[in-house]
Amino acid sequence: MIVIAVLLIALAVGVAVAVALQANEAVTVDMLGVSADTAAREVFFAGVLAAVVFGVGLWLLKASTARARRRRHEIKSLKRGRTQEVERLQAEKAELESALREQRSTPAPAATGSTDTTPAGGSSALPRDGRGQTAQSLDLTAAERRARAGSQKDQA
């Protein structure tokens, strides 16, 4: 493919040089009711210029459609990812809500001995009631719910 492209470029340059050197005869051009006397090489190079402008227009059209296609593809993939994330979050929410319902349905352990589930750092992010038990709260974050569920599994 590269060899063909190089051969075509060399052929075009050769024709342009031959026209520039040999096309000296006068030509009358009639266009849109206007008549102009010019040389044949000027007509040739006007055609070359028109072809270059046409090629640049085609290139711009191709580049803009490719960019629009990439943008549409990116938007679709972002929407797909957002939908999957929403589904994952809804599943996690349902799981956490069922764990919370299950926890609330089981009785709280008696206050015999230390049932403190405070992390090694010393303070718990969960609120505590007067007996040292974690208070029931509906506004727990997902991380707090996971930590709470994990500490309950460790106690069992």
Side-chain angles (χ1 to χ4, degrees), residues 8 15 32 35 43 51 63-64 80 83 98 105 110 119 133 155:
L8 288 174
V15 168
L32 301 172
S35 180
V43 173
S64 66
R80 198 175 308 120
T83 302
S98 78
S105 66
Q133 299 292 321
Q155 289 177 358

Coordinates of all heavy atoms in Angstrom, one line a residue, residues 8 15 32 35 43 51 63-64 80 83 98 105 110 119 133 155:
L8 N 2.1 7.0 -6.8 CA 1.1 7.9 -7.2 C 1.5 9.4 -6.9 O 1.3 10.3 -7.7 CB -0.2 7.7 -6.5 CG -1.0 6.4 -6.9 CD1 -2.2 6.2 -6.1 CD2 -1.4 6.6 -8.4
V15 N 3.8 15.0 -13.4 CA 2.8 15.6 -14.3 C 2.8 17.1 -14.0 O 2.7 18.0 -14.9 CB 1.4 15.0 -14.1 CG1 0.3 15.8 -14.8 CG2 1.4 13.6 -14.7
L32 N -19.3 31.3 -16.2 CA -20.4 32.2 -15.6 C -20.5 33.5 -16.3 O -20.7 34.6 -15.7 CB -20.1 32.4 -14.1 CG -20.1 31.1 -13.2 CD1 -19.6 31.5 -11.8 CD2 -21.4 30.4 -13.2
S35 N -15.3 36.0 -19.4 CA -14.3 35.5 -20.3 C -12.9 36.0 -19.8 O -12.8 37.2 -19.5 CB -14.5 35.9 -21.7 OG -13.5 35.3 -22.5
V43 N -4.7 27.2 -15.6 CA -5.9 26.4 -15.6 C -5.6 25.0 -14.9 O -6.4 24.6 -14.0 CB -6.5 26.1 -17.0 CG1 -7.6 25.2 -17.0 CG2 -6.8 27.5 -17.6
A51 N -8.9 20.4 -6.4 CA -8.9 19.1 -5.9 C -8.3 19.0 -4.5 O -8.8 18.2 -3.7 CB -8.0 18.2 -6.9
A63 N -13.1 13.0 9.6 CA -12.6 13.2 11.0 C -13.7 13.6 11.9 O -13.8 13.1 13.1 CB -11.5 14.3 11.0
S64 N -14.7 14.5 11.5 CA -15.8 14.9 12.4 C -16.7 13.7 12.6 O -17.2 13.5 13.7 CB -16.5 16.1 11.8 OG -17.1 15.7 10.6
R80 N -23.9 2.6 30.3 CA -24.0 1.2 30.7 C -23.3 1.0 32.0 O -23.8 0.3 32.9 CB -23.2 0.4 29.6 CG -23.5 -1.1 29.6 CD -22.9 -1.8 28.4 NE -23.2 -1.2 27.1 CZ -22.3 -0.7 26.3 NH1 -21.0 -0.8 26.6 NH2 -22.6 -0.2 25.1
T83 N -25.5 2.3 34.8 CA -26.6 1.4 35.1 C -26.2 0.2 35.9 O -26.8 -0.2 36.9 CB -27.2 0.9 33.7 OG1 -27.7 2.1 33.0 CG2 -28.4 0.0 34.0
S98 N -31.8 -6.3 54.6 CA -32.2 -7.6 55.1 C -31.4 -8.0 56.3 O -31.9 -8.6 57.3 CB -32.1 -8.7 54.0 OG -30.8 -9.2 53.8
S105 N -34.6 -8.5 64.5 CA -35.5 -9.5 64.9 C -34.9 -10.5 65.9 O -35.6 -11.1 66.7 CB -36.0 -10.4 63.7 OG -34.9 -11.1 63.1
A110 N -27.4 -10.5 76.5 CA -27.4 -10.0 77.8 C -26.1 -9.2 78.1 O -25.1 -9.5 77.5 CB -27.6 -11.1 78.9
P119 N -13.1 -1.2 67.9 CA -11.9 -1.5 67.2 C -10.6 -1.2 68.0 O -10.6 -0.5 69.0 CB -11.9 -0.6 65.9 CG -13.3 -0.1 65.8 CD -13.9 -0.2 67.2
Q133 N -24.1 -1.2 74.5 CA -24.5 -1.8 73.3 C -24.6 -0.7 72.2 O -24.8 0.4 72.4 CB -25.9 -2.5 73.4 CG -25.9 -3.5 74.5 CD -25.1 -4.7 74.1 OE1 -25.1 -5.1 72.9 NE2 -24.3 -5.3 75.0
Q155 N -19.0 -12.4 67.1 CA -19.5 -12.7 68.4 C -20.3 -14.0 68.4 O -20.3 -14.7 69.4 CB -20.5 -11.6 68.8 CG -19.8 -10.3 69.2 CD -20.8 -9.2 69.5 OE1 -22.0 -9.4 69.4 NE2 -20.4 -8.0 69.9

